[in-house]
Amino acid sequence: MPRRRCPRRSETGWRQDVLDETVAALDAADFRIYVHAIGNPGFYPEDNVLDAFEYAAQRNARRDSRHAITHLDWTRREDLARFRELGRRRGAIASQQRHGLAGMP
């Protein structure tokens, strides 16, 4: 599956390769990972985090990890589908801030 890229990825605090490897290593050590990801309309950092969760899922043994993205402000519909699919395979939680829901059509 090709990895999707956020058009404004340079605004995140982590390089994607470092985030991928860090999440995969913590996941392999059985940590439950929480990532803080506040965005805004047009910038969706959950895209980066979901990429890292998917990377860890492909690299490590299957388990109920239930990693979470916290303070999720803005979410695209296609990312909701990614949460759902990743949740079926390994567990993924979107801890969304309430005002972010107002921006969805």
Side-chain angles (χ1 to χ4, degrees):
M1 171 171 69
R3 293 174 54 142
R4 298 174 323 123
R5 294 291 173 207
C6 180
R8 296 173 64 190
R9 201 172 271 286
S10 63
E11 293 184 25
T12 62
W14 293 65
R15 282 192 352 236
Q16 190 64 42
D17 61 327
V18 174
L19 181 62
D20 289 349
E21 292 299 328
T22 301
V23 167
L26 291 169
D27 178 74
D30 292 331
F31 279 87
R32 181 168 291 157
I33 301 162
Y34 294 82
V35 180
H36 190 265
I38 290 181
N40 58 56
F43 175 59
Y44 304 95
E46 78 271 10
D47 191 47
N48 301 77
V49 180
L50 288 170
D51 282 354
F53 288 175
E54 288 173 345
Y55 178 82
Q58 291 169 1
R59 187 166 162 194
N60 299 328
R62 184 180 178 124
R63 70 183 183 90
D64 184 7
S65 56
R66 296 190 194 186
H67 301 317
I69 301 176
T70 63
H71 298 126
L72 186 60
D73 277 354
W74 303 94
T75 304
R76 296 174 295 187
R77 290 194 184 281
E78 60 265 26
D79 287 333
L80 294 177
R82 291 180 75 195
F83 270 108
R84 188 177 317 112
E85 180 56 33
L86 191 56
R88 278 195 266 264
R89 291 183 289 155
R90 294 180 53 91
I93 300 166
S95 176
Q96 192 165 32
Q97 294 198 94
R98 186 173 170 186
H99 68 273
L101 295 171
M104 291 191 65

